[in-house]
């Protein structure tokens, strides 16, 4: 039988309920108004195709969208379109602009708006650089904190900066909310327009959207694309390299290619966009037409290339990143590779069987099973005795031999490559120490190939190992174990 509550118990229950209500109120206040300013979202009639998702990856109710995230809400007809989307008064504003002969800079200050993931950058710098008559470069960086930036070895800007009057493009900046347009000079066509969505720049979340002039978009990867021409009906493509077999679906594969080309019209006029960022990211294509980049670190570092044809755009792109090397003729031949042939005897049987059947056969590979304990620059003498003789036999038959290498070096002071690399300090650092991860041989350190000393060390290791095993090429793969 239930008993009556005492006055003290009733007061305690009321007290706890009051505290709970106050906590919820403060949480909503912090989420919706972190900077202490009253924010009222401006939600004009935005077409469904032009909405930029305010809560990517989440399903929220109308109340949560409006009162927690302070975004706009409207039901949709297409399941891929966002119901909860950004208002027009989000992002940054231009605080100060300075022009020079090669471009301009603009100091950006964050508008008083809610924070999606916290740690928003309050002051950013937009730097525009007119590099050539057909190439425009811009970066958005944190003014108060240095962040990692990918370097490009091939850029040579000497005597290349054109006069402003010779540019095939010009840039228009809107001060508040900050946005800009890149416009083709000859026909006044707007190639890229960032006003479709707000700039977001936080510690581990960056976002920038571009409205495009046409739906003819090609590129981005690496994925299994069913067609070259992109489908812009709300498609999200992740870009984060991983060791994955080519299969259907929108999954990551081996490479990261953050370049796309847009064919403007039937005349062939085209432009390309390249994002120089090595962090995990995703790219969203929508029917506006528009493209949105989201990434978890680094800076926004973009190059825009103009051309009269798609071929010219690709040439401009390759002039920046470097042109492909000319491969040796034999590397275009028939090649055979797999893991675990069952030791040297199994490997020899495969070669003899294929040659005996008269199958075209130019190159044989060896995967990590030839190594001692998964360590680079070693040979498992028990499973692959006299592997160097096998390589010579292949050469005697006019064939080539490729071995695998994974740039993850065993963290062992008795392991010679680790000793020499540590002495030259060629490893990637984390918190002023060698970064250590899990690789094929166990706990590994990772060569920093942005360091010229590391490149020379790697070359020395390859050359020294070649004295033992006369391979013809190296297959370099990811160093992480599954």
């Amino acid at each position: 039988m239930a008993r009556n509550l005492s006055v003290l118990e009733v007061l305690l229950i009321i007290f706890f309920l009051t505290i709970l209500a106050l906590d919820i109120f403060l949480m909503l206040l912090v989420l919706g108004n972190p900077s202490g300013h009253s924010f009222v979202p401006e939600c004009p009639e935005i077409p469904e195709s032009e909405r930029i998702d305010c809560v990517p990856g989440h399903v929220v109710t109308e109340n949560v969208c409006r009162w927690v995230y302070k975004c706009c809400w409207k039901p949709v007809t297409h399941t891929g379109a966002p119901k909860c989307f950004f208002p027009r008064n989000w992002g940054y504003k231009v605080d100060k602009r300075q022009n020079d002969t090669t471009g301009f800079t603009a100091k950006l200050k964050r508008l008083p708006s809610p924070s999606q993931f916290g740690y928003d950058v309050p002051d950013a710098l937009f730097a525009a650089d007119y590099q050539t008559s057909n190439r425009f470069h811009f970066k958005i960086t944190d003014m108060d904190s240095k962040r990692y930036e990918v370097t490009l070895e091939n850029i040579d800007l000497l005597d290349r900066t054109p006069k402003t009057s010779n540019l095939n493009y010009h840039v228009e900046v809107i001060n508040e909310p900050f946005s800009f347009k890149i416009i083709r000079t000859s026909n006044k066509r707007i190639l890229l327009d960032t006003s479709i969505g707000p700039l977001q720049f936080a510690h581990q979340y960056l976002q920038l959207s571009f409205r495009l002039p046409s739906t003819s978009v090609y590129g981005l990867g690496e994925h299994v694309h069913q067609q070259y021409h992109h489908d812009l009906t709300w498609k999200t493509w992740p870009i984060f390299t991983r060791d994955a077999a080519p299969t259907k679906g929108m999954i990551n594969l081996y490479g990261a290619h953050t370049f796309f080309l847009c064919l403007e019209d039937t005349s062939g006029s085209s432009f390309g966009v390249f994002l120089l960022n090595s962090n995990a990211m995703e790219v969203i294509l929508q029917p506006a037409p528009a493209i949105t980049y989201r990434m978890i670190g680094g800076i926004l570092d973009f190059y825009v290339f103009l051309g009269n044809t798609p071929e010219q755009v690709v040439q401009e792109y390759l002039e920046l990143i470097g042109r492909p090397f000319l491969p040796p003729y034999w590397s275009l031949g028939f090649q055979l590779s797999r893991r675990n042939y069952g030791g040297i005897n199994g490997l020899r049987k495969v070669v003899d069987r294929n040659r005996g059947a008269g199958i075209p056969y130019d190159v044989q590979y060896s995967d990590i099973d030839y190594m001692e304990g998964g360590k680079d620059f070693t040979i498992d003498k028990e499973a692959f005795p006299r592997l160097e003789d096998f390589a010579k036999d292949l050469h005697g038959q006019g064939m080539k031999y490729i071995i695998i290498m994974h740039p993850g070096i065993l963290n062992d002071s008795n392991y010679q490559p680790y000793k020499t690399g540590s002495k030259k300090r060629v490893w990637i650092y984390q918190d002023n120490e060698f970064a250590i991860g899990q690789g094929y041989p166990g706990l590994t350190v990772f060569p920093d190939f942005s360091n010229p000393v590391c490149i020379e060390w790697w070359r020395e290791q390859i050359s020294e190992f070649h004295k033992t095993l006369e391979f013809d090429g190296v297959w370099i793969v990811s160093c992480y174990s599954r």
Side-chain angles (χ1 to χ4, degrees):
M1 184 173 179
R3 67 179 181 84
N4 293 329
L5 296 174
S6 68
V7 175
L8 179 61
E9 289 173 327
V10 171
L11 291 175
L12 286 173
I13 291 173
I14 294 173
F15 174 78
F16 284 121
L17 289 175
T18 303
I19 294 297
L20 179 62
L22 182 62
D23 285 342
I24 294 173
F25 173 78
L26 289 175
M27 181 184 69
L28 293 177
L29 187 65
V30 170
L31 286 173
N33 188 21
S35 59
H37 297 279
S38 176
F39 178 78
V40 178
E42 294 178 5
C43 298
E45 191 65 30
I46 299 177
E48 188 174 297
S49 64
E50 297 186 4
R51 298 177 186 176
I52 304 299
D53 198 346
C54 183
V55 285
H58 296 279
V59 177
V60 298
T61 63
E62 180 177 356
N63 284 338
V64 171
C65 174
R66 291 184 183 276
W67 301 110
V68 176
Y69 290 98
K70 296 295 183 72
C71 289
C72 307
W73 175 275
K74 190 172 184 180
V76 296
T77 58
H78 191 284
T79 55
K83 299 176 183 177
C84 185
F85 50 97
F86 279 108
R88 289 302 192 206
N89 55 332
W90 202 298
Y92 288 75
K93 67 177 181 179
V94 176
D95 189 45
K96 183 179 179 181
R97 174 170 170 165
Q98 183 173 346
N99 299 320
D100 58 40
T101 57
T102 61
F104 64 91
T105 59
K107 293 182 179 180
L108 308 179
K109 186 168 290 292
R110 190 173 184 273
L111 292 172
S113 53
S115 175
Q116 275 196 313
F117 301 103
Y119 302 100
D120 294 280
V121 173
D123 299 294
L125 181 68
F126 176 82
D129 185 13
Y130 307 134
Q131 291 193 340
T132 72
S133 59
N134 286 322
R135 185 170 82 207
F136 174 63
H137 176 221
F138 71 89
K139 293 200 301 185
I140 302 178
T141 56
D142 186 342
M143 287 190 63
D144 301 320
S145 178
K146 186 172 177 58
R147 301 163 69 102
Y148 175 71
E149 300 183 26
V150 181
T151 57
L152 271 178
E153 300 175 359
N154 298 294
I155 298 180
D156 179 13
L157 301 180
L158 297 178
D159 301 324
R160 285 195 179 185
T161 303
K163 296 180 179 179
T164 306
S165 58
N166 295 333
L167 297 177
N168 290 322
Y169 57 87
H170 68 276
V171 181
E172 292 183 1
V173 175
I174 305 300
N175 289 338
E176 187 174 346
F178 165 73
S179 69
F180 62 93
K181 301 175 183 178
I182 301 175
I183 303 170
R184 186 181 284 274
T185 304
S186 60
N187 57 13
K188 313 302 181 186
R189 177 181 289 122
I190 299 174
L191 305 182
L192 296 168
D193 180 1
T194 67
S195 66
I196 192 171
L199 165 65
Q200 296 214 79
F201 197 0
H203 178 55
Q204 288 187 300
Y205 187 80
L206 293 79
Q207 178 173 306
L208 189 64
S209 302
F210 300 100
R211 189 193 309 274
L212 305 173
S214 86
T215 59
S216 298
V217 177
Y218 306 84
L220 302 173
E222 187 176 37
H223 317 92
V224 177
H225 293 281
Q226 301 303 315
Q227 59 186 29
Y228 290 118
H229 185 278
H230 267 292
D231 179 1
L232 271 64
T233 55
W234 303 103
K235 300 296 183 182
T236 299
W237 295 98
I239 300 179
F240 186 51
T241 56
R242 57 178 295 216
D243 185 357
T247 57
K248 291 184 179 180
M250 305 172 75
I251 64 172
N252 303 289
L253 297 182
Y254 266 99
H257 304 281
T258 57
F259 171 84
F260 77 87
L261 184 145
C262 181
L263 187 64
E264 300 167 34
D265 54 31
T266 56
S267 71
S269 293
S270 308
F271 69 92
V273 176
F274 170 52
L275 169 60
L276 187 59
N277 186 298
S278 60
N279 286 268
M281 68 180 72
E282 62 184 15
V283 181
I284 300 87
L285 299 171
Q286 63 189 79
I291 183 170
T292 296
Y293 292 85
R294 301 184 189 126
M295 62 216 75
I296 63 170
I299 65 170
L300 295 166
D301 192 354
F302 283 92
Y303 292 83
V304 182
F305 313 90
L306 276 69
N308 296 322
T309 63
E311 292 84 356
Q312 186 180 350
V313 171
V314 173
Q315 289 170 1
E316 294 277 348
Y317 174 50
L318 293 180
E319 186 176 348
L320 176 78
I321 66 169
R323 304 189 186 283
F325 76 100
L326 184 65
Y329 183 70
W330 60 263
S331 70
L332 305 178
F334 295 94
Q335 309 184 24
L336 187 61
S337 173
R338 60 160 289 178
R339 184 183 296 189
N340 192 12
Y341 280 107
I344 189 65
N345 293 330
L347 188 56
R348 285 188 179 277
K349 286 180 181 178
V350 167
V351 174
D352 293 342
R353 185 169 65 245
N354 279 279
R355 290 186 62 81
I359 296 175
Y361 188 20
D362 300 289
V363 184
Q364 177 61 48
Y365 284 68
S366 280
D367 209 315
I368 62 171
D369 45 308
Y370 82 87
M371 299 177 182
E372 179 188 1
K375 300 194 296 282
D376 283 335
F377 316 114
T378 65
I379 298 174
D380 185 341
K381 296 295 185 180
E382 293 186 6
F384 290 87
R386 304 195 67 79
L387 184 60
E388 61 274 13
D389 291 343
F390 170 77
K392 291 177 181 178
D393 291 344
L394 287 180
H395 294 153
Q397 300 175 66
M399 295 178 64
K400 304 294 183 180
Y401 185 43
I402 293 179
I403 60 172
I404 194 172
M405 289 283 182
H406 49 78
I409 303 301
L410 181 67
N411 182 29
D412 184 349
S413 58
N414 294 319
Y415 178 40
Q416 188 63 27
Y418 175 83
K419 289 172 64 176
T420 58
S422 297
K423 185 177 180 180
K424 296 185 177 183
R425 307 184 73 80
V426 302
W427 314 128
I428 292 175
Y429 277 75
Q430 182 179 26
D431 298 328
N432 296 318
E433 296 180 350
F434 299 153
I436 297 177
Q438 185 69 35
Y440 287 118
L443 294 178
T444 59
V445 291
F446 308 102
D448 179 3
F449 291 108
S450 66
N451 181 354
V453 177
C454 178
I455 295 175
E456 184 58 33
W457 168 85
W458 181 257
R459 185 183 294 114
E460 291 170 355
Q461 300 301 311
I462 296 287
S463 299
E464 189 65 27
F465 189 54
H466 189 267
K467 295 176 182 178
T468 300
L469 182 63
E470 294 181 1
F471 51 87
D472 301 285
V474 177
W475 166 30
I476 301 177
V477 301
S478 60
C479 54
Y480 303 103
S481 62
R482 291 179 182 273

